[in-house]
Amino acid sequence: MKNISLLPPEIRARQEARRKSRVLLLGSTAVLALFLVVYGSLFAIAWQAQAELRGLRTEREALQRELPAYQQYISIQQQVEHTDKLLKDAMGRSPDWASILTGLGLHIPEGVWLTDLALAYKAGEEVPEVSPGGSLPSNLPPALRPEVEEPRVKLGVGSELTVRGAAKSHALVAEWLNGIRQVPGLSDVFCQFASAEGDSEKTTIRFEIKAVLQPGAPYQPPVEGVTGNAGAI
C-alpha cells in the first residue's frame, strides 16, 4: 500500500531541510569530537616530551656542576690507557716460546740428537717475503726433499728458528722435519743441509733445519690472581 502525503509541498520541503540539517549537525559533531580526541592525544604527548626534556636538562646541568670533581679521575684514566698502549707496543707480539719448545721436544724421534738450538725474534718485525727464485740445497737426499718444491722464504735476522743436530739416518731427520712442521707458531720449515760423516759401518748425519717464527698473540698485562702472558720472556 502506497503512502500518500496530503501536506502541501512547502511543508514537506521544510521537513526535508530540517532532516538534512540534523544529519549534517550530527556528522559535524562527530568530526569535531574526533578532532578533539586527536588534539588532546598530541597535546599530552608533547607535554610529556617537554617534561622529559626539562628533566634531561636538569640532569645535564647537575652533571656539569659535578664534572670538575671528576676531572682528576678522567686524567688518571687517560694516563692509564696511554701507559697500557706503550706497554703493549714495547712488548710486541712475542711468539709462544713455551709451546714452540715443548712441540720440538715432543716430536724428536729416538736416534736424533740436538746439538744447537737458536730462537730469535724481534718484536714488530714484518713477516719475511717469499723469494720466487729460492730453492732447496741441491745436495739434500730424496728423504729430505719434498714432493713439490715450493719457493723458499728469505729468513731475516731476528725472525727465525735454527735447529742443528745429528741423527743415525736421513729417514730420522725427515721424520723430525715433518714433526717440526706440526708445531704451532712455526712456518716454512725446511732442511738447510744434511751431510753424512763417518765410514760405511757407522754413519752420522749432521743437519740444520730452519723455520720462520710467527708472531704470537698481542700482549695482555697480567691482572691480580691471573698468570701473565706465557709467551713473553
Side-chain angles (χ1 to χ4, degrees), residues 182-199:
Q182 309 303 318
V183 177
L186 299 178
S187 64
D188 300 284
V189 182
F190 69 98
C191 185
Q192 182 71 15
F193 72 83
S195 60
E197 298 179 357
D199 51 28

Side-chain angles (χ1 to χ4, degrees), residues 21-189:
S21 297
R22 286 196 297 268
V23 173
L24 183 60
L25 180 61
L26 290 174
S28 301
T29 303
V31 172
L32 179 61
L34 179 62
F35 174 78
L36 292 176
V37 171
V38 174
Y39 177 79
S41 300
L42 294 177
F43 178 81
I45 294 174
W47 182 85
Q48 183 179 1
Q50 290 179 354
E52 293 179 356
L53 180 60
R54 289 192 296 269
L56 291 175
R57 287 177 178 174
T58 303
E59 292 180 3
R60 186 186 66 179
E61 293 173 357
L63 290 175
Q64 288 178 343
R65 289 193 297 268
E66 296 177 1
L67 185 60
Y70 295 102
Q71 188 62 42
Q72 57 176 337
Y73 301 105
I74 297 176
S75 301
I76 293 174
Q77 178 65 26
Q78 292 175 347
Q79 294 176 5
V80 170
E81 293 175 355
H82 179 66
T83 304
D84 182 66
K85 182 179 182 302
L86 291 178
L87 178 60
K88 290 182 178 181
D89 292 342
M91 295 300 297
R93 297 178 59 184
S94 179
D96 189 351
W97 303 109
S99 176
I100 293 174
L101 294 175
T102 301
L104 291 175
L106 290 175
H107 292 92
I108 186 170
E110 185 177 356
V112 176
W113 299 274
L114 177 64
T115 60
D116 185 27
L117 175 65
L119 287 167
Y121 183 81
K122 183 181 296 183
E125 183 165 343
E126 297 180 356
V127 177
E129 295 182 354
V130 175
S131 173
S135 61
L136 293 173
S138 58
N139 61 346
L140 284 182
L144 299 180
R145 188 175 295 277
E147 296 180 0
V148 179
E149 183 177 335
E150 298 179 354
R152 296 264 54 84
V153 171
K154 292 182 179 180
L155 296 174
V157 176
S159 62
E160 69 180 17
L161 162 72
T162 303
V163 178
R164 298 184 182 90
K168 292 182 179 180
S169 66
H170 285 105
L172 290 174
V173 178
E175 181 180 349
W176 197 24
L177 181 66
N178 292 328
I180 294 176
R181 290 189 174 121
Q182 309 303 318
V183 177
L186 299 178
S187 64
D188 300 284
V189 182

